[in-house]
Amino acid sequence: MEMIQQMGERAREAASALALAGAEEKNGALAAIAAALGQNTGEILAANRADLDAARADGMAPAMLDRLALDEKRVQSIAAGVEEIIALPDPVGRTDAGWTRPNGLSITRVRVPLGVVGIIYEARPNVTADAAALCLKSGNACILRGGKEAVKTNIAMAGVMRQALEKAGLPADAVQLVEDTSRETSRQMMGANGLIDVLIPRGGAGLIRAVVENATVPVIQTGVGNCHVYVDSPCDLEMAVNIIQNAKCSRPSVCNAAETLLVHREMADRFLPMAKAALDRYQVQLRGCPITREILGDTVVPATGEDYATEYNDYILAVRVVGSLEEAVAHIRRYSTGHSEAIVTSDYQHSQQFTRQVDAAAVYVNASTRFTDGGQFGLGAEIGISTQKLHARGPMGLEALTTTKYIVLGSGQVR
């Protein structure tokens, strides 16, 4: 606990200093971080290659290797994401509401940082920069604890950012990385009450469940994405093919990728062969219900209840033919993790019923679930996609990393 204790104390000192920093100072630090990431691309890529070599030796799946891998273009994209945050309005100090009471007290509700944000995440090194940049802009210090698969990459990126912070005149300890990736450090962060104000897990279902069930620090639950695309009757079949191909295949390892395809019985005979032809280009394995297998043949693996409950993060798609919109909604209610759900339909009333009855952070009509992303929503980079309802839901941008404080001005009033 001593290491996390020391990091937490340094983070609280840094958070206190950040509370006095204005938007111009924070933006200057972000600009320095973006420039430093670009200037040190070679160092970051060398570290990433070492992580990739170790991950391949451990037998990491190709889709997860894609999550881990960086190249020059991806590092440039990470730096560009930091620059985009500069252009976003600073939520800190913003007045949400204000009023005057009959006794003369003037009350305003203003946005303030959460304080110290802890992030526990897996093999996605872009999270290191995205989380640090969002925390900095919103006035929070952060303690980052990535997975062992990306440890060398994370160390390189965090070192670059800390040096940039110092050069910009802000405390380097506003960004700290836990280099010990043992379970013990995660456990210590989960119990760091009084040091860490909120904990955000980003990763697979096992990680998120472990943090939610064991942490005594407040947790924002994020990320698990058992997402569905429902092809309704009637609908534009070509549109539906494009949507499921994008939702499943554009990047299957991410949480907004589709994991289950639901198809109305009236569309199944025409749609499923079209969908299979598009998915076959990516060698997607289909696991389907008896009607799906009757239409598409024995190349479709028989689906089980577990298949419909699984976030594959791979080129695997569960398929089920349903008899009605209501049956599709019931299936989603049973298996959804509350992340992103989509309907493809030409019926306006059906679209309205779907958006009202499906309970998820993002509900789509005639669009891919892959848009559930802070950048795509115009929020800039995101620190995670919350699948809970308090205090944030959906892509978490800057405002979700703040809370409120009441400022009360008086002239001697007593009660």
Side-chain angles (χ1 to χ4, degrees):
M1 187 67 182
E2 183 178 350
M3 180 183 66
I4 298 299
Q5 175 81 26
Q6 291 175 355
M7 294 180 74
E9 290 172 354
R10 295 198 302 270
R12 298 203 78 79
E13 288 292 324
S16 180
L18 287 178
L20 297 175
E24 187 173 338
E25 292 172 90
K26 292 185 288 187
N27 286 340
L30 289 170
I33 286 174
L37 289 170
Q39 292 161 4
N40 292 275
T41 298
E43 175 189 343
I44 293 167
L45 293 182
N48 187 247
R49 284 192 294 272
D51 283 330
L52 285 169
D53 289 343
R56 290 190 189 97
D58 285 344
M60 180 181 281
M64 300 309 290
L65 283 170
D66 177 63
R67 271 189 166 191
L68 172 60
L70 294 178
D71 54 25
E72 188 169 337
K73 185 177 179 180
R74 284 190 177 181
V75 175
Q76 290 173 352
S77 178
I78 291 170
V82 175
E83 290 177 340
E84 288 172 6
I85 295 173
I86 296 172
L88 297 174
D90 187 349
V92 177
R94 188 186 74 203
T95 298
D96 284 351
W99 59 94
T100 301
R101 298 293 297 146
N103 61 4
L105 287 177
S106 173
I107 302 174
T108 55
R109 187 172 67 239
V110 300
R111 287 270 151 196
V112 296
L114 293 170
V116 176
V117 178
I119 302 104
I120 300 176
Y121 54 106
E122 293 178 337
R124 294 187 66 181
N126 65 294
V127 175
T128 302
D130 290 349
L134 282 165
C135 286
L136 176 62
K137 178 80 178 218
S138 55
N140 297 290
C142 62
I143 298 176
L144 309 172
R145 192 276 189 194
K148 67 177 182 179
E149 302 87 353
V151 64
K152 290 182 173 62
T153 311
N154 290 338
I155 289 171
M157 293 181 72
V160 166
M161 291 189 291
R162 285 172 59 85
Q163 290 176 9
L165 279 171
E166 284 190 324
K167 289 180 180 178
L170 290 180
D173 285 335
V175 176
Q176 296 183 72
L177 177 76
V178 180
E179 297 183 9
D180 178 354
T181 60
S182 67
R183 290 186 179 182
E184 177 61 18
T185 56
S186 290
R187 188 190 66 78
Q188 290 175 11
M189 288 179 70
M190 294 178 206
N193 298 75
L195 298 172
I196 296 175
D197 292 290
V198 64
L199 202 55
I200 302 174
R202 289 193 59 173
L207 168 67
I208 293 169
R209 182 171 56 250
V211 175
V212 170
E213 292 177 355
N214 294 294
T216 54
V217 171
V219 175
I220 298 176
Q221 186 171 339
T222 71
V224 178
N226 188 15
C227 305
H228 301 74
V229 173
Y230 166 56
V231 176
D232 188 35
S233 177
C235 76
D236 181 326
L237 293 181
E238 292 289 346
M239 176 192 292
V241 169
N242 290 337
I243 286 174
I244 188 58
Q245 179 178 287
N246 177 263
K248 176 74 264 183
C249 304
S250 61
R251 201 170 182 193
S253 63
V254 294
C255 59
N256 56 21
E259 304 293 9
T260 296
L261 170 64
L262 302 173
V263 184
H264 195 288
R265 184 66 185 90
E266 292 177 357
M267 311 300 284
D269 289 328
R270 286 178 291 159
F271 174 74
L272 283 174
M274 296 169 62
K276 185 176 186 301
L279 296 169
D280 279 348
R281 297 180 202 139
Y282 296 87
Q283 298 181 320
V284 175
Q285 181 192 97
L286 300 181
R287 301 182 182 182
C289 67
I291 297 176
T292 301
R293 299 187 74 235
E294 180 182 322
I295 294 169
L296 296 180
D298 292 340
T299 58
V300 177
V301 177
T304 66
E306 184 178 350
D307 288 316
Y308 293 121
T310 298
E311 182 186 23
Y312 293 108
N313 294 131
D314 204 347
Y315 289 101
I316 303 171
L317 182 67
V319 186
R320 181 184 173 193
V321 176
V322 295
S324 64
L325 168 62
E326 289 74 17
E327 189 177 348
V329 170
H331 179 103
I332 292 170
R333 281 181 172 171
R334 178 176 180 182
Y335 293 107
S336 174
T337 54
H339 193 294
S340 301
E341 308 295 353
I343 182 174
V344 186
T345 186
S346 301
D347 188 309
Y348 175 76
Q349 294 300 325
H350 285 189
S351 73
Q352 294 304 293
Q353 182 178 341
F354 189 86
T355 58
R356 289 173 180 169
Q357 288 191 310
V358 170
D359 186 16
V363 182
Y364 292 85
V365 177
N366 296 331
S368 170
T369 56
R370 289 280 286 111
F371 284 101
T372 308
D373 172 86
Q376 294 296 323
F377 278 20
L379 304 175
E382 70 190 29
I383 202 157
I385 298 171
S386 172
T387 54
Q388 63 183 42
K389 300 181 182 181
L390 296 174
H391 79 109
R393 197 179 195 193
M396 294 176 57
L398 291 172
E399 184 171 316
L401 290 171
T402 63
T403 184
T404 58
K405 176 190 291 184
Y406 288 93
I407 306 297
V408 184
L409 303 181
S411 54
Q413 288 91 338
V414 294
R415 182 177 178 183

